[in-house]
Amino acid sequence: MTLRYIIISLILGYSTLTSVINAEIAPISGNTVVNTPTIESVIAEIESNNLSLKTAAAANNAETAELQAANIIGPTSIEYSPFFQSGWRGVASSELIVKQEFDFPTKYASRAKAAGAKGKALDAALEEQRRSIRIEATQACIDRIGAEKRLEILNDRLKLTKILLNLYEQKYELRSATALDLNLIKLSKIDIERDITSTMTEAMEAEATLQRLNGGTPISLTGMDYAGSIEEVILPESARIYAAQSPSVAAAEADIRVSEAELSIARSSWLPTIGVGYRRNTEVGSSSNGFVIGLDFPIFGLGRQKKAAEARKAAAEISLLEADKNAEAEAASVMRQLESMRKTLATEDPALISETIHLYDESLRLGQITMTDYCRETESLLDRALTLSRIEQDYRRLAATLIQ
């Protein structure tokens, strides 16, 4: 029985003993249930706490309120003019004017429609921003999980390397191993420790990103793992379907509706402003009063306003076409890359890699291969296992960009 099997047996025995003890303690502690975080639960927490989303939502509410406030009847004006006359004590005559102006009624309907369209456009832009944050958070979760998985591989390998180093130090003292054999194991240990440090840094960077997205609040990540296997990763049926549901396309469509509403306002800008009021004049010994009715017709600049609105509508239509084509092209490119990665992952066999490393361990113990051959081959297999983990991480990161 190899040292590796002895260590594994001890670990399994310890795990079994721990499980039994925990099962006995659980009823005493009040059956406390600890929920393991998932990628979706982490994203949901970030969406609730993200400061950028809160700021954007508050700004949208403010802008919507401003749009609604701008579409009301203006203030009532009251003017009082006292007149004084030489030789007359006090006010000789006076004039009082009370006036209310309002736009032609259809203008209010047009502006209300435009305000509704702008509100939906703001919501679409907020949803696009929310999607970007979801993608960034998902990728950060994947980075941390990928780093943790590589750390498991590296730590397991480091434990075995330390055992091997201890064994060969004893052999070296007994002069049954050379200094070259001992140095090769030490160099292998240094390489693994360097990779562990680098991978731990990746994990900490991912955690820092998630904390930043969570409004600076620390977030529980212990036990978080991928949501299913590679085969269970949900992808859109086609690039065309993805583009049809893309938030960027939805935002561009909302901008189209805003430009159409603004064009409707520009076309009705020739309609007059209506003024109604009351007027009273007083003089010495007499007074008169009556109603004031007036229409203000805009004359200058109407054609330019309409042309500007038409140009904005044309620009919005082009932006929609560009957003649609870009979304479809990007999705098609991502799906091609994912298909290539999936084929690469399908050709690999992690269990075979692990078994081969074990066979090299056994061959070295039996003296069937030299330490030089062992280090060269096992390091190649370790690199292969780490590369496989990295490809899976990259696959999931790329798939996350297709989040709707």
Side-chain angles (χ1 to χ4, degrees):
M1 183 179 292
T2 64
L3 288 173
R4 183 172 184 175
Y5 279 129
I6 293 172
I7 293 171
I8 292 174
S9 299
L10 290 172
I11 292 173
L12 290 175
Y14 175 76
S15 299
T16 303
L17 180 61
T18 303
S19 300
V20 173
I21 293 172
N22 289 339
E24 294 296 328
I25 293 176
I28 300 175
S29 61
N31 295 325
T32 302
V33 178
V34 179
N35 293 324
T36 302
T38 64
I39 293 178
E40 282 302 319
S41 68
V42 170
I43 292 174
E45 184 174 347
I46 286 174
E47 286 184 337
S48 299
N49 298 331
N50 185 265
L51 298 180
S52 296
L53 290 179
K54 288 182 178 181
T55 301
N60 285 1
N61 292 336
E63 190 164 351
T64 300
E66 288 176 357
L67 291 172
Q68 294 172 348
N71 193 33
I72 60 175
I73 297 175
T76 300
S77 67
I78 300 176
E79 298 178 7
Y80 175 72
S81 304
F83 299 99
F84 302 93
Q85 184 176 343
S86 178
W88 185 265
R89 186 176 181 180
V91 177
S93 62
S94 65
E95 182 180 56
L96 172 66
I97 301 176
V98 180
K99 189 176 181 181
Q100 176 67 60
E101 290 188 347
F102 55 89
D103 292 325
F104 204 79
T106 56
K107 283 188 173 182
Y108 292 101
S110 297
R111 285 200 291 263
K113 184 178 179 180
K118 288 179 180 178
K120 291 180 179 179
L122 292 172
D123 291 340
L126 178 60
E127 190 58 34
E128 189 175 10
Q129 183 179 357
R130 187 187 306 278
R131 173 181 177 268
S132 297
I133 289 174
R134 281 179 61 87
I135 290 175
E136 186 178 1
T138 301
Q139 290 182 332
C141 287
I142 291 170
D143 288 344
R144 188 195 183 268
I145 294 170
E148 290 293 329
K149 289 186 177 296
R150 287 192 296 280
L151 280 174
E152 290 178 10
I153 297 172
L154 291 167
N155 284 325
D156 288 343
R157 197 61 198 162
L158 181 60
K159 291 176 184 177
L160 293 174
T161 302
K162 287 181 178 179
I163 293 172
L164 195 60
L165 178 59
N166 183 55
L167 177 63
Y168 266 76
E169 283 176 343
Q170 295 176 12
K171 283 188 173 185
Y172 180 73
E173 290 177 359
L174 298 174
R175 301 191 181 280
S176 60
T178 65
L180 178 60
D181 292 334
L182 194 60
N183 288 345
L184 285 173
I185 300 175
K186 289 180 179 179
L187 290 173
S188 179
K189 177 175 173 289
I190 291 172
D191 289 340
I192 294 172
E193 289 174 338
R194 182 194 60 226
D195 290 340
I196 287 175
T197 301
S198 175
T199 307
M200 288 179 64
T201 301
E202 289 182 31
M204 288 188 291
E205 286 295 326
E207 291 178 11
T209 298
L210 291 171
Q211 183 170 332
R212 170 179 60 80
L213 293 175
N214 199 40
T217 304
I219 189 166
S220 175
L221 303 171
T222 304
M224 182 176 62
D225 201 352
Y226 291 138
S229 63
I230 287 291
E231 290 73 18
E232 295 175 298
V233 175
I234 300 175
L235 300 176
E237 295 181 9
S238 67
R240 180 64 260 161
I241 292 177
Y242 169 82
Q245 301 172 347
S246 171
S248 60
V249 173
E253 289 175 344
D255 290 338
I256 286 276
R257 290 189 287 271
V258 171
S259 65
E260 290 173 346
E262 290 179 343
L263 179 58
S264 176
I265 292 175
R267 286 172 175 169
S268 64
S269 59
W270 64 272
L271 293 172
T273 298
I274 302 171
V276 295
Y278 169 79
R279 181 170 181 171
R280 178 181 177 84
N281 292 85
T282 60
E283 294 184 5
V284 178
S286 65
S287 64
S288 60
N289 57 74
F291 293 101
V292 178
I293 301 176
L295 298 175
D296 294 335
F297 285 92
I299 298 175
F300 305 103
L302 297 180
R304 292 189 180 91
Q305 292 179 18
K306 183 180 176 181
K307 287 181 179 179
E310 289 174 343
R312 283 193 293 270
K313 182 175 181 295
E317 290 172 345
I318 295 172
S319 295
L320 172 60
L321 180 62
E322 182 183 21
D324 183 73
K325 296 298 182 184
N326 286 345
E328 184 175 2
E330 289 172 6
S333 175
V334 168
M335 293 174 75
R336 284 193 298 270
Q337 294 178 61
L338 290 174
E339 182 61 25
S340 176
M341 288 182 181
R342 187 187 290 270
K343 290 179 179 178
T344 300
L345 291 170
T347 60
E348 293 289 350
D349 188 349
L352 180 62
I353 296 174
S354 179
E355 181 184 352
T356 305
I357 292 177
H358 165 65
L359 291 175
Y360 275 115
D361 291 340
E362 186 70 13
S363 297
L364 180 64
R365 189 183 67 83
L366 297 175
Q368 296 173 349
I369 59 174
T370 65
M371 178 56 68
T372 303
D373 292 337
Y374 172 83
C375 289
R376 182 179 62 250
E377 298 301 332
T378 54
E379 285 178 8
S380 175
L381 288 169
L382 178 61
D383 289 342
R384 190 166 185 169
L386 295 174
T387 300
L388 189 61
S389 174
R390 177 70 72 177
I391 292 174
E392 181 181 3
Q393 178 182 335
D394 291 342
Y395 179 93
R396 294 178 182 274
R397 278 180 58 86
L398 197 57
T401 61
L402 298 180
I403 290 176
Q404 295 289 10

